[in-house]
Amino acid sequence: MFVKAFPSMLTVGNLFLGVIAIIFAFQGDHYVDYAAITVIIGMLLDGLDGRVARMLNAQSEFGKELDSLSDVITFGVAPAFIMYVVSLQDMNWLGILVTASFPICGALRLARFNVQAGVPGYFIGLPITAAGGVLATLALYHKWFSPVVLLLGMLLLAFLMVSNIKYPNFKKVGIPKAAYWITPLIVIVVVGVAIRYPSEFPKIVFLPLALYALYGIKKNVDLSLKKTRKKEVSEEEPLPFD
């Protein structure tokens, strides 16, 4: 019974971290780093629960719905509050609307994922886990970027979640069962580094997450340009009897 419930326990742990991140966010600037770190650790648990469920043959509709509800809190609401606290709260109603738009788009993204068949090996739209990770760590750069830049970045991430842009799906990449013993060690190392370097760690994590988000935009632009070139070539081809 415990074995079957273990994936759901990881999901609940993810949800718990999302709530903790929200609490940290409202404790002042000194705790914002810890709020972002909490979201990052939540990303680790979110990446583990599905893999563990498949390994233990414990997949269920209950676990799927619980995962989506947890993701809305940890990667939708929590990062939005982090950004609101550090930057958007001085924008009055505009900051409130943009803050609300992020978890709303995240919920729409998850609802679409749950009811529509996707493309094998890809996500349609930026996953809320990645979007939330980018936003939570981007908020730590509030001293380097103006509030307008951060607001536009938040809107871009919200749009990418509900877009039709394809992103590689690394969740279903196979991992040998013999390698699962090292997973707790990885989590412990990440947590240890995060505690030792609370200011630098989440800023470093921002870079690969941001590159992943930008990758989808680049691939979509490349595909659009390729289609345009093909159309232009086909229109320029002479007719057989010209």
Side-chain angles (χ1 to χ4, degrees), residues 198-214:
S199 299
E200 294 79 9
F201 175 74
K203 293 176 183 177
I204 295 173
V205 174
F206 165 77
L207 296 176
L209 293 176
L211 289 175
Y212 179 73
L214 294 173

Side-chain angles (χ1 to χ4, degrees), residues 14-197:
N14 172 27
L15 175 58
F16 173 77
L17 291 172
V19 175
I20 296 300
I22 294 172
I23 295 172
F24 274 143
F26 285 98
Q27 299 305 308
D29 289 347
H30 180 69
Y31 289 90
V32 170
D33 293 333
Y34 294 103
I37 289 171
T38 305
V39 172
I40 293 169
I41 298 173
M43 292 177 65
L44 288 175
L45 295 184
D46 182 65
L48 286 175
D49 56 8
R51 294 178 186 273
V52 172
R54 287 188 289 272
M55 183 187 70
L56 299 177
N57 194 26
Q59 297 167 282
S60 66
E61 286 299 316
F62 173 82
K64 181 180 177 181
E65 297 302 325
L66 179 62
D67 183 67
S68 294
L69 293 171
S70 299
D71 287 353
V72 170
I73 301 299
T74 305
F75 310 116
V77 177
F81 277 147
I82 293 172
M83 183 62 80
Y84 177 78
V85 168
V86 300
S87 181
L88 303 186
Q89 61 180 330
D90 294 328
M91 294 185 176
N92 300 320
W93 63 269
L94 179 60
I96 294 173
L97 288 177
V98 174
T99 299
S101 70
F102 187 82
I104 289 173
C105 289
L108 293 173
R109 163 71 178 77
L110 288 167
R112 182 178 66 179
F113 174 77
N114 286 342
V115 300
Q116 289 185 2
V119 179
Y122 289 91
F123 292 115
I124 303 300
L126 180 63
I128 188 174
T129 307
V134 173
L135 188 64
T137 51
L138 175 63
L140 303 182
Y141 289 90
H142 64 280
K143 294 181 180 179
W144 286 267
F145 299 113
S146 70
V148 174
V149 172
L150 296 177
L151 181 143
L152 292 176
M154 191 171 183
L155 287 175
L156 175 62
L157 291 170
F159 166 75
L160 290 176
M161 284 192 289
V162 296
S163 70
N164 291 319
I165 296 175
K166 292 192 296 186
Y167 285 88
N169 179 1
F170 300 116
K171 274 193 171 185
K172 294 186 179 180
V173 176
I175 295 179
K177 290 185 178 180
Y180 272 92
W181 66 269
I182 202 172
T183 299
L185 294 180
I186 295 174
V187 175
I188 291 171
V189 169
V190 170
V191 173
V193 173
I195 293 174
R196 181 67 179 83
Y197 305 101

